[in-house]
Coordinates of all heavy atoms in Angstrom, one line a residue:
D29 N 103.1 130.7 83.5 CA 101.9 131.3 84.0 C 101.7 131.1 85.5 O 101.8 130.0 86.0 CB 100.7 130.7 83.2 CG 99.4 131.3 83.5 OD1 99.4 132.6 83.6 OD2 98.4 130.6 83.5
Y30 N 101.4 132.2 86.2 CA 101.3 132.2 87.6 C 100.3 131.2 88.1 O 100.5 130.4 89.1 CB 100.9 133.6 88.1 CG 100.6 133.7 89.6 CD1 101.6 133.7 90.5 CD2 99.3 133.8 90.0 CE1 101.4 133.8 91.9 CE2 99.0 133.9 91.4 CZ 100.1 133.9 92.3 OH 99.8 134.0 93.6
W31 N 99.1 131.1 87.5 CA 98.0 130.2 88.0 C 98.4 128.8 87.8 O 98.1 127.9 88.6 CB 96.7 130.5 87.2 CG 96.3 131.9 87.3 CD1 96.3 132.8 86.3 CD2 95.9 132.7 88.4 NE1 95.9 134.1 86.7 CE2 95.6 134.0 88.0 CE3 95.7 132.3 89.8 CZ2 95.2 135.0 88.9 CZ3 95.2 133.3 90.6 CH2 95.0 134.6 90.2
A32 N 99.1 128.5 86.7 CA 99.3 127.1 86.4 C 100.6 126.5 87.0 O 100.6 125.3 87.2 CB 99.5 126.9 84.8
T33 N 101.5 127.4 87.4 CA 102.7 126.8 88.0 C 102.9 127.2 89.4 O 102.9 126.4 90.3 CB 103.9 127.3 87.1 OG1 104.0 128.7 87.0 CG2 103.9 126.7 85.7
E34 N 103.2 128.5 89.7 CA 103.6 128.9 91.0 C 102.5 128.7 92.0 O 102.8 128.1 93.1 CB 104.0 130.4 91.0 CG 104.5 130.9 92.3 CD 104.9 132.4 92.3 OE1 105.2 132.9 91.3 OE2 104.8 133.0 93.4
L35 N 101.3 129.1 91.7 CA 100.2 128.9 92.7 C 99.9 127.4 92.9 O 99.8 127.0 94.1 CB 98.9 129.6 92.1 CG 97.9 129.9 93.2 CD1 98.4 130.8 94.2 CD2 96.7 130.6 92.5
K36 N 99.9 126.6 91.9 CA 99.7 125.1 92.1 C 100.9 124.5 92.8 O 100.7 123.6 93.7 CB 99.6 124.4 90.7 CG 98.3 124.8 90.0 CD 97.1 124.4 90.7 CE 95.8 124.9 90.1 NZ 94.7 124.8 91.0
N37 N 102.1 124.9 92.6 CA 103.2 124.4 93.4 C 103.1 124.8 94.8 O 103.4 123.9 95.7 CB 104.6 124.9 92.8 CG 104.9 124.3 91.5 OD1 104.4 123.3 91.1 ND2 105.7 125.0 90.7
D38 N 102.7 126.0 95.1 CA 102.5 126.4 96.5 C 101.4 125.6 97.2 O 101.5 125.3 98.4 CB 102.2 127.9 96.6 CG 103.4 128.8 96.2 OD1 104.6 128.2 96.2 OD2 103.3 130.0 96.0
E39 N 100.3 125.3 96.4 CA 99.2 124.5 97.0 C 99.7 123.1 97.3 O 99.4 122.5 98.3 CB 98.1 124.5 96.0 CG 97.3 125.8 95.9 CD 96.3 125.9 94.8 OE1 96.3 124.9 93.9 OE2 95.5 126.8 94.8
M40 N 100.5 122.5 96.4 CA 101.0 121.2 96.7 C 102.0 121.2 97.9 O 101.9 120.2 98.7 CB 101.8 120.6 95.5 CG 100.9 120.3 94.3 SD 99.7 119.0 94.8 CE 100.7 117.6 95.2
A41 N 102.8 122.2 98.1 CA 103.7 122.3 99.3 C 102.8 122.4 100.5 O 103.1 121.8 101.6 CB 104.6 123.5 99.1
A42 N 101.8 123.2 100.5 CA 100.9 123.4 101.6 C 100.2 122.1 102.0 O 100.0 121.7 103.1 CB 99.8 124.5 101.3
L43 N 99.8 121.3 101.0 CA 99.1 120.0 101.2 C 100.1 119.1 101.9 O 99.7 118.4 102.9 CB 98.7 119.5 99.8 CG 97.9 118.2 99.8 CD1 96.5 118.4 100.5 CD2 97.6 117.8 98.4
E44 N 101.3 119.0 101.4 CA 102.3 118.1 102.0 C 102.6 118.5 103.5 O 102.7 117.7 104.4 CB 103.6 118.1 101.2 CG 103.4 117.4 99.9 CD 102.9 116.0 100.0 OE1 103.4 115.2 100.8 OE2 102.0 115.6 99.2
Y45 N 102.7 119.8 103.7 CA 103.0 120.3 105.1 C 101.8 120.0 106.0 O 102.0 119.5 107.1 CB 103.2 121.8 105.1 CG 103.5 122.4 106.4 CD1 104.8 122.4 106.9 CD2 102.5 122.9 107.2 CE1 105.1 122.9 108.2 CE2 102.7 123.4 108.5 CZ 104.0 123.4 109.0 OH 104.3 123.9 110.2
C46 N 100.6 120.2 105.6 CA 99.4 119.9 106.4 C 99.3 118.4 106.7 O 99.0 118.0 107.8 CB 98.2 120.4 105.7 SG 96.7 120.3 106.7
R47 N 99.6 117.6 105.7 CA 99.5 116.1 105.9 C 100.6 115.7 107.0 O 100.3 114.8 107.8 CB 99.7 115.4 104.6 CG 98.5 115.5 103.7 CD 98.7 114.8 102.4 NE 97.4 114.7 101.7 CZ 97.4 114.5 100.4 NH1 98.5 114.2 99.7 NH2 96.2 114.5 99.8
A48 N 101.8 116.3 106.9 CA 102.8 116.0 107.9 C 102.3 116.4 109.3 O 102.6 115.7 110.3 CB 104.1 116.7 107.5
R49 N 101.7 117.5 109.4 CA 101.2 118.0 110.7 C 100.1 117.1 111.2 O 100.0 116.8 112.4 CB 100.6 119.4 110.6 CG 101.6 120.5 110.2 CD 102.6 120.8 111.3 NE 103.6 119.8 111.2 CZ 104.8 119.7 111.8 NH1 105.1 120.6 112.7 NH2 105.7 118.8 111.7
L50 N 99.2 116.5 110.3 CA 98.2 115.6 110.7 C 98.8 114.4 111.4 O 98.3 113.9 112.4 CB 97.4 115.2 109.5 CG 96.4 116.2 109.0 CD1 95.7 115.6 107.8 CD2 95.4 116.6 110.0
Q51 N 99.9 113.9 110.8 CA 100.5 112.7 111.3 C 101.1 113.0 112.7 O 101.0 112.2 113.6 CB 101.6 112.2 110.4 CG 101.0 111.5 109.2 CD 102.1 111.0 108.3 OE1 103.3 111.4 108.3 NE2 101.8 109.9 107.5
K52 N 101.7 114.2 112.8 CA 102.3 114.6 114.1 C 101.3 114.6 115.2 O 101.5 114.1 116.3 CB 103.0 116.0 114.0 CG 103.6 116.5 115.2 CD 104.1 117.9 115.1 CE 104.5 118.4 116.5 NZ 104.6 119.8 116.5
H53 N 100.1 115.1 114.9 CA 99.1 115.3 115.9 C 98.1 114.1 116.0 O 97.2 114.0 116.8 CB 98.3 116.6 115.7 CG 99.1 117.8 115.9 ND1 99.6 118.2 117.1 CD2 99.5 118.7 115.0 CE1 100.3 119.3 116.9 NE2 100.2 119.6 115.7
N54 N 98.3 113.1 115.0 CA 97.5 111.9 115.0 C 96.0 112.3 114.9 O 95.2 111.7 115.6 CB 97.8 111.0 116.2 CG 97.3 109.6 116.0 OD1 97.2 109.2 114.8 ND2 97.1 108.9 117.0
L55 N 95.6 113.1 114.0 CA 94.2 113.6 113.8 C 93.5 112.6 112.8 O 94.1 112.2 111.8 CB 94.2 115.0 113.3 CG 94.7 116.1 114.3 CD1 94.7 117.4 113.6 CD2 93.8 116.1 115.5
P56 N 92.3 112.2 113.2 CA 91.6 111.3 112.3 C 90.9 112.0 111.1 O 89.7 112.0 111.0 CB 90.5 110.7 113.3 CG 90.2 111.8 114.2 CD 91.5 112.6 114.4
M57 N 91.7 112.5 110.2 CA 91.1 113.2 109.0 C 92.1 113.0 107.9 O 93.2 112.6 108.1 CB 90.9 114.6 109.3 CG 92.1 115.4 109.8 SD 91.7 117.0 110.4 CE 91.2 118.0 109.0
D58 N 91.6 113.2 106.7 CA 92.3 113.0 105.5 C 92.2 114.3 104.6 O 91.1 114.6 104.2 CB 91.8 111.8 104.7 CG 92.6 111.5 103.5 OD1 93.8 111.9 103.4 OD2 92.1 110.9 102.5
I59 N 93.3 115.0 104.4 CA 93.3 116.2 103.6 C 93.4 115.8 102.2 O 94.2 115.0 101.7 CB 94.6 117.1 104.0 CG1 94.6 117.5 105.4 CG2 94.6 118.3 103.1 CD1 93.4 118.4 105.9
R60 N 92.4 116.3 101.4 CA 92.2 115.9 100.0 C 92.8 116.9 99.1 O 93.4 116.5 98.0 CB 90.7 115.7 99.7 CG 90.1 114.6 100.3 CD 90.7 113.3 99.8 NE 90.0 112.2 100.3 CZ 90.4 110.9 100.1 NH1 91.4 110.7 99.4 NH2 89.8 109.9 100.7
H61 N 92.7 118.2 99.4 CA 93.1 119.2 98.5 C 93.4 120.5 99.2 O 92.8 120.8 100.3 CB 92.0 119.4 97.5 CG 92.3 120.4 96.4 ND1 93.2 120.2 95.4 CD2 91.8 121.7 96.2 CE1 93.3 121.3 94.6 NE2 92.4 122.2 95.1
A62 N 94.3 121.3 98.7 CA 94.6 122.6 99.2 C 94.5 123.6 98.1 O 94.8 123.4 97.0 CB 96.0 122.7 99.8
E63 N 93.9 124.8 98.4 CA 93.6 125.8 97.4 C 93.8 127.2 98.0 O 93.2 127.6 99.0 CB 92.1 125.6 96.9 CG 91.7 126.5 95.8 CD 90.3 126.3 95.4 OE1 89.4 126.7 96.1 OE2 90.1 125.5 94.4
Y64 N 94.7 127.9 97.3 CA 94.9 129.3 97.7 C 93.9 130.2 97.0 O 93.5 129.9 95.8 CB 96.3 129.8 97.2 CG 97.4 129.7 98.2 CD1 98.4 128.8 98.0 CD2 97.4 130.5 99.4 CE1 99.4 128.6 98.9 CE2 98.5 130.4 100.3 CZ 99.5 129.4 100.1 OH 100.5 129.3 101.0
Q65 N 93.5 131.3 97.7 CA 92.7 132.3 97.0 C 93.7 133.0 96.1 O 94.9 133.0 96.3 CB 92.2 133.3 98.0 CG 91.2 134.3 97.5 CD 90.6 135.1 98.7 OE1 90.8 134.8 99.8 NE2 89.8 136.1 98.3
F66 N 93.3 133.6 95.0 CA 94.2 134.2 94.0 C 95.2 135.1 94.5 O 96.4 135.2 94.0 CB 93.4 134.9 92.8 CG 92.8 136.2 93.3 CD1 93.4 137.4 93.0 CD2 91.5 136.2 93.9 CE1 92.9 138.6 93.4 CE2 91.0 137.4 94.3 CZ 91.6 138.6 94.0
D67 N 94.9 135.9 95.6 CA 95.9 136.8 96.2 C 96.7 136.2 97.3 O 97.5 136.9 98.0 CB 95.2 138.1 96.6 CG 94.1 137.8 97.6 OD1 93.9 136.7 98.0 OD2 93.4 138.8 98.0
K68 N 96.5 134.9 97.6 CA 97.2 134.2 98.6 C 96.9 134.7 100.0 O 97.7 134.6 100.9 CB 98.7 134.1 98.4 CG 99.0 133.2 97.1 CD 100.4 133.1 96.9 CE 101.1 132.1 97.8 NZ 102.5 131.8 97.5
K69 N 95.8 135.3 100.3 CA 95.4 135.8 101.6 C 94.5 134.8 102.3 O 94.2 135.0 103.5 CB 94.7 137.2 101.5 CG 95.6 138.3 101.0 CD 94.9 139.6 101.1 CE 95.9 140.7 100.7 NZ 95.2 142.0 100.8
K70 N 94.1 133.7 101.6 CA 93.3 132.7 102.2 C 93.7 131.3 101.6 O 94.0 131.2 100.4 CB 91.8 132.9 101.9 CG 90.9 131.9 102.5 CD 89.5 132.2 102.1 CE 88.5 131.1 102.4 NZ 87.2 131.4 101.9
L71 N 93.9 130.4 102.5 CA 94.3 129.0 102.1 C 93.2 128.0 102.6 O 93.0 128.0 103.8 CB 95.7 128.7 102.7 CG 96.2 127.3 102.4 CD1 96.3 127.0 100.9 CD2 97.6 127.2 103.0
T72 N 92.6 127.3 101.7 CA 91.5 126.4 102.1 C 92.0 125.0 102.0 O 92.6 124.6 100.9 CB 90.3 126.6 101.2 OG1 89.9 127.9 101.2 CG2 89.1 125.7 101.6
F73 N 91.8 124.2 103.0 CA 92.1 122.8 103.0 C 90.8 122.0 103.0 O 89.9 122.2 103.8 CB 92.9 122.4 104.2 CG 94.3 122.9 104.2 CD1 94.6 124.1 104.9 CD2 95.3 122.3 103.5 CE1 95.9 124.6 104.9 CE2 96.6 122.8 103.5 CZ 96.9 123.9 104.2
Y74 N 90.6 121.1 102.0 CA 89.4 120.3 101.9 C 89.8 118.9 102.6 O 90.8 118.3 102.2 CB 89.0 120.1 100.5 CG 88.6 121.4 99.9 CD1 89.6 122.2 99.2 CD2 87.3 121.9 100.0 CE1 89.2 123.4 98.6 CE2 87.0 123.1 99.4 CZ 87.9 123.9 98.7 OH 87.6 125.1 98.2
Y75 N 88.9 118.5 103.5 CA 89.3 117.2 104.2 C 88.0 116.3 104.4 O 86.9 116.8 104.2 CB 89.8 117.6 105.6 CG 88.8 118.1 106.6 CD1 88.2 117.2 107.5 CD2 88.5 119.4 106.7 CE1 87.2 117.7 108.4 CE2 87.6 119.9 107.6 CZ 86.9 119.0 108.4 OH 86.0 119.5 109.3
E76 N 88.3 115.1 104.6 CA 87.3 114.1 105.0 C 87.5 113.6 106.4 O 88.7 113.4 106.8 CB 87.3 112.9 104.0 CG 86.8 113.2 102.6 CD 86.8 112.0 101.7 OE1 87.2 110.9 102.2 OE2 86.4 112.1 100.5
S77 N 86.5 113.3 107.1 CA 86.5 112.7 108.4 C 85.2 112.1 108.8 O 84.2 112.7 108.5 CB 86.9 113.8 109.4 OG 87.0 113.3 110.7
K78 N 85.2 111.0 109.4 CA 84.0 110.3 109.8 C 83.5 110.8 111.2 O 82.4 110.6 111.6 CB 84.2 108.8 109.8 CG 84.4 108.3 108.5 CD 84.5 106.8 108.5 CE 84.7 106.3 107.0 NZ 84.7 104.8 107.0
T79 N 84.4 111.5 111.9 CA 84.1 112.0 113.2 C 84.4 113.5 113.3 O 85.1 114.0 112.5 CB 84.8 111.3 114.4 OG1 86.2 111.5 114.2 CG2 84.5 109.8 114.4
R80 N 83.9 114.1 114.4 CA 84.3 115.5 114.6 C 85.8 115.6 115.0 O 86.2 114.8 115.8 CB 83.4 116.1 115.7 CG 83.7 117.6 115.9 CD 82.9 118.1 117.1 NE 83.2 119.5 117.3 CZ 84.3 120.0 117.8 NH1 85.3 119.1 118.2 NH2 84.5 121.3 117.9
V81 N 86.5 116.6 114.4 CA 87.9 116.7 114.7 C 88.2 118.1 115.3 O 87.7 119.1 114.8 CB 88.7 116.6 113.4 CG1 90.2 116.8 113.6 CG2 88.4 115.3 112.7
D82 N 88.9 118.1 116.4 CA 89.3 119.4 117.0 C 90.7 119.7 116.5 O 91.7 119.2 116.9 CB 89.4 119.2 118.5 CG 89.8 120.5 119.2 OD1 89.8 121.6 118.6 OD2 90.1 120.5 120.4
F83 N 90.7 120.6 115.5 CA 92.0 120.9 114.8 C 92.5 122.4 115.1 O 93.1 123.0 114.3 CB 91.9 120.7 113.3 CG 90.6 121.2 112.6 CD1 90.4 122.5 112.5 CD2 89.7 120.3 112.2 CE1 89.2 123.0 111.9 CE2 88.6 120.7 111.5 CZ 88.3 122.1 111.4
V84 N 92.2 122.9 116.3 CA 92.6 124.2 116.7 C 94.1 124.3 116.7 O 94.6 125.3 116.2 CB 92.0 124.6 118.1 CG1 92.6 125.9 118.6 CG2 90.5 124.6 118.0
T85 N 94.8 123.4 117.3 CA 96.3 123.4 117.3 C 96.8 123.4 115.9 O 97.8 124.1 115.5 CB 96.8 122.2 118.1 OG1 96.2 122.2 119.4 CG2 98.3 122.3 118.2
L86 N 96.2 122.5 115.0 CA 96.6 122.4 113.6 C 96.5 123.8 112.9 O 97.4 124.2 112.2 CB 95.8 121.4 112.9 CG 96.1 121.2 111.4 CD1 97.5 120.8 111.1 CD2 95.0 120.3 110.8
L87 N 95.3 124.5 113.2 CA 95.1 125.8 112.5 C 96.1 126.8 112.9 O 96.6 127.6 112.1 CB 93.7 126.3 112.9 CG 92.5 125.6 112.2 CD1 91.2 126.2 112.8 CD2 92.6 125.7 110.7
K88 N 96.5 126.8 114.2 CA 97.5 127.7 114.7 C 98.9 127.5 114.0 O 99.6 128.4 113.6 CB 97.7 127.6 116.2 CG 96.5 128.1 116.9 CD 96.7 127.9 118.4 CE 95.4 128.4 119.2 NZ 95.5 128.2 120.6
E89 N 99.2 126.2 113.8 CA 100.5 125.9 113.2 C 100.4 126.3 111.7 O 101.4 126.8 111.1 CB 100.8 124.4 113.3 CG 101.2 124.0 114.6 CD 101.6 122.5 114.7 OE1 102.0 121.9 113.7 OE2 101.6 121.9 115.8
L90 N 99.3 126.0 111.0 CA 99.2 126.4 109.6 C 99.2 127.9 109.4 O 99.9 128.4 108.5 CB 97.9 125.8 109.1 CG 97.8 124.3 109.0 CD1 96.4 123.9 108.6 CD2 98.8 123.7 108.0
F91 N 98.6 128.6 110.4 CA 98.7 130.1 110.3 C 100.1 130.6 110.4 O 100.5 131.5 109.7 CB 97.7 130.7 111.3 CG 97.8 132.2 111.3 CD1 97.1 132.9 110.3 CD2 98.5 132.9 112.2 CE1 97.2 134.3 110.3 CE2 98.6 134.3 112.2 CZ 97.9 135.0 111.2
R92 N 100.8 130.0 111.4 CA 102.2 130.4 111.6 C 103.1 130.2 110.4 O 103.9 130.9 110.0 CB 102.8 129.7 112.8 CG 102.6 130.4 114.1 CD 103.5 129.9 115.2 NE 103.4 128.5 115.4 CZ 102.5 127.9 116.3 NH1 101.7 128.7 117.0 NH2 102.4 126.6 116.5
E93 N 102.8 129.0 109.7 CA 103.6 128.6 108.6 C 103.3 129.5 107.3 O 104.2 129.9 106.6 CB 103.4 127.2 108.3 CG 104.2 126.6 107.1 CD 105.7 126.6 107.3 OE1 106.1 126.6 108.5 OE2 106.4 126.5 106.3
F94 N 102.0 129.7 107.1 CA 101.6 130.3 105.8 C 101.2 131.8 105.9 O 101.0 132.4 104.9 CB 100.5 129.5 105.2 CG 100.9 128.1 104.9 CD1 100.4 127.0 105.6 CD2 101.8 127.8 103.9 CE1 100.8 125.7 105.4 CE2 102.2 126.5 103.6 CZ 101.7 125.5 104.3
S95 N 101.0 132.3 107.1 CA 100.7 133.7 107.3 C 99.5 134.2 106.5 O 99.6 135.3 105.9 CB 101.9 134.6 107.0 OG 103.0 134.2 107.8
C96 N 98.5 133.5 106.5 CA 97.3 133.9 105.8 C 96.1 133.2 106.5 O 96.3 132.4 107.4 CB 97.3 133.5 104.3 SG 97.3 131.7 104.0
R97 N 94.9 133.6 106.1 CA 93.7 133.0 106.7 C 93.6 131.6 106.3 O 93.7 131.2 105.1 CB 92.5 133.8 106.3 CG 91.2 133.4 107.0 CD 90.2 134.5 106.8 NE 89.1 133.8 106.1 CZ 88.2 134.4 105.3 NH1 88.3 135.6 105.1 NH2 87.2 133.7 104.8
I98 N 93.3 130.7 107.3 CA 93.2 129.3 107.0 C 91.8 128.8 107.2 O 91.1 129.2 108.1 CB 94.1 128.4 108.0 CG1 95.5 128.9 108.0 CG2 94.0 127.0 107.7 CD1 96.3 128.7 106.7
W99 N 91.3 128.1 106.2 CA 89.9 127.6 106.2 C 89.9 126.1 106.0 O 90.6 125.6 105.1 CB 89.2 128.3 105.0 CG 87.7 128.1 105.1 CD1 86.9 127.2 104.4 CD2 86.8 128.9 105.8 NE1 85.6 127.4 104.7 CE2 85.5 128.4 105.6 CE3 86.9 129.9 106.7 CZ2 84.3 128.9 106.2 CZ3 85.8 130.5 107.3 CH2 84.5 129.9 107.0
M100 N 89.2 125.4 106.8 CA 89.0 124.0 106.7 C 87.6 123.7 106.3 O 86.7 124.1 106.9 CB 89.3 123.3 108.1 CG 90.6 123.6 108.7 SD 92.0 123.0 107.8 CE 92.0 121.3 108.1
E101 N 87.5 123.0 105.1 CA 86.2 122.7 104.5 C 86.0 121.2 104.5 O 86.8 120.5 103.8 CB 86.2 123.3 103.1 CG 84.9 123.1 102.4 CD 83.8 124.1 102.8 OE1 84.1 125.2 103.3 OE2 82.6 123.7 102.7
K102 N 85.0 120.7 105.2 CA 84.8 119.3 105.2 C 84.0 118.9 103.9 O 83.0 119.5 103.5 CB 83.9 118.9 106.4 CG 83.8 117.4 106.6 CD 83.1 117.1 107.9 CE 83.0 115.6 108.0 NZ 82.4 115.2 109.3
V103 N 84.5 117.8 103.3 CA 83.8 117.3 102.1 C 83.1 116.0 102.5 O 83.5 115.4 103.5 CB 84.8 117.1 100.9 CG1 85.4 118.4 100.4 CG2 85.9 116.1 101.3
R104 N 82.2 115.7 101.8 CA 81.3 114.5 102.1 C 82.1 113.2 101.9 O 82.8 113.0 101.0 CB 80.2 114.5 101.1 CG 79.2 113.4 101.4 CD 78.1 113.5 100.4 NE 77.0 112.7 100.8 CZ 75.7 112.8 100.5 NH1 75.4 113.8 99.7 NH2 74.8 112.1 101.0
V105 N 82.0 112.3 102.9 CA 82.6 111.0 102.9 C 81.7 110.1 102.1 O 80.6 109.9 102.5 CB 82.9 110.5 104.3 CG1 83.5 109.1 104.3 CG2 83.7 111.5 105.1
H106 N 82.3 109.5 101.1 CA 81.6 108.5 100.3 C 81.7 107.1 100.9 O 82.8 106.6 101.2 CB 82.1 108.5 98.9 CG 81.9 109.8 98.2 ND1 80.7 110.3 97.8 CD2 82.9 110.7 97.9 CE1 80.9 111.5 97.2 NE2 82.2 111.8 97.3
E107 N 80.6 106.5 101.2 CA 80.6 105.1 101.8 C 80.1 104.1 100.9 O 79.4 104.3 99.9 CB 79.8 105.2 103.1 CG 80.5 106.1 104.1 CD 79.8 106.0 105.4 OE1 79.2 104.9 105.8 OE2 79.8 107.0 106.1

């Protein structure tokens, strides 16, 4: 099934790629989840961060890699 296998595998690959880019740029954030829109025209990354993060360079790299709209969604940090 497309939803259960291929799309989920692509989301996991995107998550790993994004986490590797975070380490490269030493950004103070934690990517929790990646989610493709059903037609793969939008890729959303859910992240946590205690401070404001300038991830413009990261967005450019993600766009080059995945060729779709990239959305960064901040999730609440539990303390």
Side-chain angles (χ1 to χ4, degrees):
D29 185 36
Y30 174 74
W31 306 110
T33 57
E34 185 179 334
L35 202 58
K36 293 297 175 196
N37 290 339
D38 290 346
E39 289 171 350
M40 287 302 297
L43 185 62
E44 292 303 316
Y45 180 84
C46 187
R47 286 178 174 163
R49 299 289 81 174
L50 285 179
Q51 286 182 334
K52 176 185 174 197
H53 296 293
N54 200 23
L55 293 173
M57 57 194 289
D58 184 25
I59 300 294
R60 292 293 184 188
H61 182 67
E63 182 178 82
Y64 268 111
Q65 191 172 354
F66 72 96
D67 58 3
K68 292 181 80 174
K69 291 186 178 182
K70 178 181 170 187
L71 177 56
T72 304
F73 290 97
Y74 297 92
Y75 72 95
E76 287 184 359
S77 177
K78 292 184 179 181
T79 62
R80 186 184 176 284
V81 179
D82 182 11
F83 43 71
V84 173
T85 305
L86 175 66
L87 288 176
K88 289 177 184 178
E89 287 185 24
L90 294 173
F91 178 77
R92 271 196 301 272
E93 180 68 20
F94 299 108
S95 301
C96 66
R97 192 166 117 204
I98 304 296
W99 192 261
M100 302 298 283
E101 183 77 26
K102 186 173 183 176
V103 294
R104 185 180 195 153
V105 177
H106 299 287
E107 295 185 30

